[in-house]
Amino acid sequence: MEINLVTIAIPFFFLLIFIEMGFSAYHKRKLYRLNDSINDLSAGTTSEVVGVFMKTVTLTAYIYIYQNFRIFNLPSWPGEAMSIVPAGAIGLSSTTWAWILVVGVWILCGIGYDLAYYWNHRLSHEINFLWAGHVVHHQSEEYNLTVALRQASFHGIFTWVFYLPLALIGFSPIVLILNGQISLIYQFWIHTKAIDKLPRWFEAIFNTPSHHRVHHGINPKYIDKNHAGILIVFDKMFGTFEPEIEEPVYGTVKPLQSFNPIWANIQYWAEMIELARKSPRWSDKIKAFFAAPGWRPKELGGQYPIPEVSPKTFRKYDIEIPKGLSIYSLVWFVLSVALAFGMLVKVKNLPWFNIGVISGLTLISLLALGGILERKRWALFIEPIRLAILVAGAYLLSGVFNITVGTLALSVISAIWFLSYRSSFVEGKEIDPVQDILRRTA
């Protein structure tokens, strides 16, 4: 269970992102915006950091059912299969039969995982409290490879139940985990506008960039379509398939309007709880968590509208900041992600104290960077505090004088650099989401 294909794949993800950036620049496609991409990758980093603490908890039920209630003893590796291959098997050696059996188990688990993922994903678009976890992945108004890494931090708290039937059948935790990681890695490359449509046979069976662009579209005809992980056949089987006809507009019907990854993960929860509080009837207070996204009781305005949208008139959320502040944000974003990635690579060998300190430093850094990208006035206060905490963290983690002094020097230079732009920060204005939808689609 110590294998993490996603962590291994991260450098290749970034390589492909740089290639797509080059493609975008060469063809003048404008597929990337710095603030949006930093936000996407910050959300992904937040998800990975929080996942260190959550994954053990979410796997507990699966392991328990597998160990106590599984129907079949399905082998995970050829060595396990050797004991159940019939003696004197006809035509092929026992080793070959063992490999065939194991490959069959892995393929069946992959198909079963993809089916479970389909229903997990579909219901996460149809039930409010599940959407509250998943919405993070859809909040970007761009569509590029960084969006693939924009993952929610708390979605896994609820979605593990969809995979329990696989434990009951007898697929071991390691087979489930690696199939899940393969699914996640597969879905990375389909988050691009650089690839049009692939051969018809491939489009007929597999999820592709064209199919997944539809899934991320907020065009009325594209809402809640194409929920596939790897196999698009499940959407065709269950009636949720929609081909890409018109160019999609990306984001969420009610836009997040923030570049803060922490707020991105809690915004919809706060909105849902507020809706329940304001709802006049107890039945509506409960329904606020279980209804479809956008539902409101008629006393509060009824269902939110899903307006027609066009790429030519749609106005994306954007905040202009000075170039020097953009460079500052990018530098500290790279340093923060590098620190988190180093922790993820060595997480099995690190004390929980070190993991906690590094996780805390990463999260407060991403919170501060989100505030800086939005020019929020509170960032003027939290950024110097973050730099001071960074120095304290360096001392706690290393206890080495040179490292601590080096971090102090870096923090002092950063504070001077940052505060030289203090006049750029203004209070953000509250925007009514319904009015903003109408304004942005007018």
Side-chain angles (χ1 to χ4, degrees):
M1 291 188 192
E2 296 185 3
I3 301 173
N4 192 329
L5 299 179
V6 176
T7 300
I8 295 170
I10 286 175
F12 300 98
F13 289 163
F14 279 95
L15 175 61
L16 290 173
I17 287 170
F18 291 138
I19 291 173
E20 188 183 44
M21 286 180 175
F23 171 89
S24 173
Y26 181 78
H27 291 279
K28 298 180 180 179
R29 294 280 299 274
K30 296 182 180 179
L31 301 179
Y32 283 84
R33 286 185 292 145
L34 180 64
N35 46 19
D36 183 84
S37 294
I38 286 178
N39 186 227
D40 291 341
L41 297 173
S42 294
T45 302
T46 301
S47 175
E48 286 295 305
V49 169
V50 173
V52 170
F53 301 91
M54 285 180 48
K55 286 173 183 176
T56 301
V57 176
T58 56
L59 277 172
T60 300
Y62 189 95
I63 293 171
Y64 179 80
I65 290 176
Y66 172 77
Q67 290 178 341
N68 295 280
F69 300 104
R70 67 179 182 269
I71 300 170
F72 303 106
N73 290 313
L74 300 178
S76 305
W77 312 111
E80 299 174 11
M82 290 293 289
S83 62
I84 59 176
V85 172
I90 299 174
L92 299 171
S93 68
S94 297
T95 301
T96 303
W97 278 113
W99 273 101
I100 291 173
L101 181 58
V102 167
V103 169
V105 167
W106 279 78
I107 291 174
L108 287 174
C109 184
I111 295 171
Y113 182 94
D114 214 49
L115 176 60
Y117 177 89
Y118 169 84
W119 282 106
N120 164 13
H121 196 182
R122 176 173 173 172
L123 293 178
S124 293
H125 281 256
E126 297 176 353
I127 299 175
N128 235 357
F129 80 94
L130 293 178
W131 175 242
H134 181 58
V135 66
V136 179
H137 181 61
H138 285 264
Q139 289 163 340
S140 173
E141 294 173 342
E142 303 293 344
Y143 192 78
N144 54 53
L145 292 176
T146 64
V147 176
L149 302 181
R150 185 187 180 94
Q151 299 295 323
S153 296
F154 307 117
H155 197 217
I157 295 175
F158 308 103
T159 56
W160 53 270
V161 298
F162 290 93
Y163 304 100
L164 295 184
L166 299 176
L168 192 62
I169 293 170
F171 295 108
S172 73
I174 188 63
V175 176
L176 171 90
I177 291 169
L178 291 180
N179 266 291
Q181 292 175 2
I182 290 169
S183 176
L184 190 61
I185 292 170
Y186 178 91
Q187 291 178 65
F188 174 79
W189 74 278
I190 62 178
H191 290 81
T192 183
K193 291 196 273 188
I195 298 173
D196 189 12
K197 292 196 176 182
L198 296 168
R200 290 180 63 183
W201 70 267
F202 196 89
E203 296 273 346
I205 300 171
F206 296 102
N207 200 6
T208 64
S210 176
H211 296 328
H212 205 60
R213 285 193 291 268
V214 166
H215 179 70
H216 276 257
I218 57 172
N219 314 49
K221 68 186 301 181
Y222 290 163
I223 295 293
D224 296 343
K225 300 295 184 181
N226 298 3
H227 302 292
I230 296 177
L231 300 172
I232 198 66
V233 294
F234 290 124
D235 281 289
K236 295 179 178 181
M237 186 182 303
F238 296 114
T240 53
F241 176 71
E242 184 70 33
E244 184 182 30
I245 304 297
E246 61 189 49
E247 183 181 353
V249 173
Y250 303 100
T252 51
V253 174
K254 291 176 62 181
L256 173 67
Q257 296 197 318
S258 173
F259 294 126
N260 194 311
I262 309 301
W263 177 239
N265 276 281
I266 63 176
Q267 175 266 338
Y268 198 85
W269 285 102
E271 187 175 288
M272 193 167 52
I273 291 169
E274 180 66 8
L275 175 62
R277 187 186 70 81
K278 290 183 176 179
S279 295
R281 293 174 292 275
W282 275 103
S283 59
D284 288 337
K285 293 180 185 296
I286 296 172
K287 192 174 180 180
F289 296 93
F290 293 92
W295 174 87
R296 295 179 301 180
K298 61 182 180 180
E299 292 88 349
L300 298 179
Q303 183 74 30
Y304 271 102
I306 303 177
E308 291 290 344
V309 288
S310 167
K312 294 180 180 179
T313 58
F314 186 78
R315 295 174 60 185
K316 300 173 183 176
Y317 175 72
D318 200 13
I319 299 289
E320 291 186 8
I321 63 175
K323 186 175 181 180
L325 207 54
S326 293
I327 295 172
Y328 178 90
S329 301
L330 179 60
V331 168
W332 270 111
F333 168 73
V334 171
L335 292 174
S336 300
V337 171
L339 179 65
F341 179 69
M343 179 193 74
L344 293 171
V345 169
K346 298 182 178 181
V347 69
K348 297 294 181 181
N349 301 317
L350 289 176
W352 277 106
F353 176 79
N354 292 39
I355 293 172
V357 171
I358 294 172
S359 297
L361 289 173
T362 301
L363 295 178
I364 194 172
S365 294
L366 298 178
L367 173 67
L369 290 175
I372 292 170
L373 291 173
E374 295 178 40
R375 291 165 53 190
K376 294 291 189 182
R377 188 167 293 277
W378 56 259
L380 285 172
F381 302 96
I382 197 171
E383 178 62 4
I385 293 172
R386 178 188 77 88
L387 294 171
I389 292 174
L390 185 68
V391 176
Y395 176 76
L396 290 172
L397 291 173
S398 68
V400 178
F401 178 77
N402 291 340
I403 293 177
T404 305
V405 171
T407 306
L408 176 61
L410 175 62
S411 296
V412 170
I413 294 170
S414 296
I416 295 171
W417 182 359
F418 171 72
L419 291 174
S420 68
Y421 290 97
R422 60 187 178 277
S423 62
S424 301
F425 290 84
V426 295
E427 286 287 355
K429 294 182 179 180
E430 294 295 327
I431 300 176
D432 180 80
V434 175
Q435 292 300 318
D436 188 62
I437 290 171
L438 299 175
R439 175 182 62 80
R440 287 160 34 118
T441 56

